Amino acid sequence: MMSADNAGITTRRAYRRTDDYTPGTPKIGIVTEPLPLPLSATKVLIKVHAVALNYRDANISNGGNPWPVTPHGIIGNDAAGEIIAVGEQVKFLEIGDRVAPNTDTKNLTGREPTRSWLAADEDGVLADFLVYDEMVLGKLPTYLDWIQASMIPCAGVTAWSALKGAWIGQSVLIQGTGGVAMFALKLAKALGLTVVLSSSSDRKLEAVCEQFPEPPILTVNYAKNPNWYEEVLEHTNGVGVDIVLENGGPGTLLKSMKCTRRGGIVSQVGYLDRKKFDDAQEILPTLIDRRIILRGINAGSKMDMDDLSSALTATQIKFDDIIDSTWAFDDADEALQYLWEGKQVGKVVIQI
């Protein structure tokens, strides 16, 4: 058994938020800080190899999170690393295991009454070393490289949770071309679902359709057509899709419901549109009339992450084709700004 002291690691480099929301100023900065050592009995030390950024990271760093966050916290909740030291009572993991913490470290089974979100209620994962209790860690598939594996804990589990209940031959509306959306697209195609993809950019839609030509992806440009839900209905012969991966919130929820089939599911995974609920009076009647199941998605439980990793290991799906770009650790602030400006198609990953 190797202790952190034996591993020769006592400090880490991490990116903490500046909490300066002035446009044009750095939103994160590198700090060197001591690790919480020695390891307590059930904790492990992790060498991080890659961290995948999400819109949530940029939003929190720019002061846009709708929930309270700890001041000057470490950003990031998508990571992949290997265990290099373990506490004396660690039972389920060992040195060399490829692991990641769950996005909500309190949500192990889906029935826990409390939450603790990485990068919000507690520090996130954009650091070269991490210490966690073994109970919050999930094992990652061994067939994926570090960059691909780093997408699993947040983007992957969110997509997995949002698509629960789908089966072959059904249809899904996926909003956007960011990390969660592209991961969901990969899962949806593997599940045999018809995909309707929406974006405000014809260039991005064309790029995705070129990349995944068979079976064809149906597309909707919501910027060109304010009533884009009508196009979704046309794509589905007036019935509506079986599941919506809803990423907008106030400005898009009602329209998403209008193009969901009766008895279908709307998985609310994001809140990109900050408009007020001007159409709130229509939401409840539409929800009832169309018998829609509206469910909030906050990534998922550790069991969900374990289930996703098992499914990926069985299917051997690769995700190298949805990586927008990789960045050096020292360029993380630039990568965060790139993400904030919405330039990406797929995942932005920091290699460590």
Side-chain angles (χ1 to χ4, degrees):
M1 180 182 300
M2 181 177 288
S3 69
D5 290 337
N6 292 337
I9 307 299
T10 59
T11 62
R12 70 175 176 188
R13 297 172 75 214
Y15 272 98
R16 291 192 174 275
R17 300 191 324 273
T18 62
D19 290 346
D20 180 355
Y21 307 133
T22 308
T25 60
K27 298 298 176 276
I28 53 176
I30 294 182
V31 298
T32 299
E33 57 191 24
L35 284 162
L37 300 174
L39 291 175
S40 59
T42 59
K43 290 190 176 181
V44 304
L45 176 62
I46 303 164
K47 170 67 181 80
V48 181
H49 289 281
V51 173
L53 297 179
N54 293 287
Y55 172 81
R56 175 178 182 266
D57 299 314
N59 193 42
I60 289 175
S61 299
N62 282 273
N65 201 53
W67 300 278
V69 296
T70 55
H72 302 292
I74 298 173
I75 69 164
N77 53 350
D78 251 338
E82 64 178 317
I83 295 175
I84 61 171
V86 297
E88 59 185 10
Q89 293 181 22
V90 170
K91 297 179 180 178
F92 306 106
L93 298 172
E94 60 186 24
I95 291 172
D97 281 346
R98 300 158 59 95
V99 296
N102 197 48
T103 296
D104 180 350
T105 59
K106 297 288 187 184
N107 188 6
L108 304 181
T109 68
R111 298 183 64 86
E112 286 73 19
T114 58
R115 71 151 200 259
S116 185
W117 292 338
L118 296 177
D121 301 307
E122 60 180 278
D123 280 335
V125 296
L126 188 49
D128 53 4
F129 293 96
L130 301 169
V131 173
Y132 283 103
D133 190 280
E134 68 168 336
M135 296 306 295
V136 308
L137 299 172
K139 287 187 179 181
L140 299 172
T142 58
Y143 76 94
L144 293 173
D145 62 31
W146 293 115
I147 290 174
Q148 294 177 70
S150 71
M151 308 177 198
I152 290 174
C154 181
V157 174
T158 298
W160 174 261
S161 300
L163 292 174
K164 278 186 179 179
W167 61 82
I168 189 168
Q170 290 192 317
S171 57
V172 59
L173 168 63
I174 298 174
Q175 295 179 350
T177 56
V180 172
M182 295 303 290
F183 204 108
L185 185 146
K186 292 280 290 190
L187 292 181
K189 291 177 93 50
L191 282 166
L193 305 182
T194 297
V195 175
V196 182
L197 184 67
S198 71
S199 173
S200 62
S201 167
D202 283 337
R203 178 186 62 81
K204 289 183 177 181
L205 290 172
E206 289 167 6
V208 174
C209 289
E210 271 184 35
Q211 191 172 7
F212 303 101
E214 297 296 335
I217 296 171
L218 306 172
T219 62
V220 173
N221 186 322
Y222 61 82
K224 288 185 173 180
N225 181 6
N227 294 325
W228 51 263
Y229 65 91
E230 295 175 349
E231 287 188 57
V232 178
L233 289 171
E234 288 176 14
H235 283 318
T236 55
N237 298 315
V239 175
V241 293
D242 296 281
I243 295 182
V244 178
L245 197 136
E246 224 292 328
N247 209 17
T252 58
L253 178 56
L254 178 62
K255 293 174 182 178
S256 292
M257 293 166 62
K258 286 183 175 181
C259 61
T260 303
R261 71 161 172 84
R262 280 184 161 78
I265 297 169
V266 174
S267 293
Q268 191 70 51
V269 303
Y271 46 89
L272 297 180
D273 193 323
R274 294 309 183 83
K275 294 178 183 177
K276 293 181 180 179
F277 273 106
D278 294 332
D279 49 16
Q281 290 185 336
E282 286 188 69
I283 287 178
L284 191 56
T286 305
L287 183 76
I288 294 171
D289 175 54
R290 299 187 73 83
R291 294 180 277 108
I292 290 169
I293 301 166
L294 175 60
R295 61 187 183 190
I297 303 294
N298 172 33
S301 68
K302 191 185 95 62
M303 289 180 63
D304 289 323
M305 181 160 64
D306 291 339
D307 288 344
L308 171 58
S309 292
S310 295
L312 295 179
T313 298
T315 56
Q316 300 283 295
I317 301 173
K318 293 290 189 72
F319 297 96
D320 52 342
D321 51 1
I322 62 168
I323 297 166
D324 176 273
S325 53
T326 58
W327 302 68
F329 187 66
D330 289 340
D331 296 329
D333 185 54
E334 185 180 346
L336 190 71
Q337 182 61 28
Y338 175 85
L339 182 67
W340 181 240
E341 293 173 8
K343 295 179 178 179
Q344 82 287 358
V345 176
K347 290 299 291 182
V348 174
V349 183
I350 308 299
Q351 201 164 7
I352 303 173

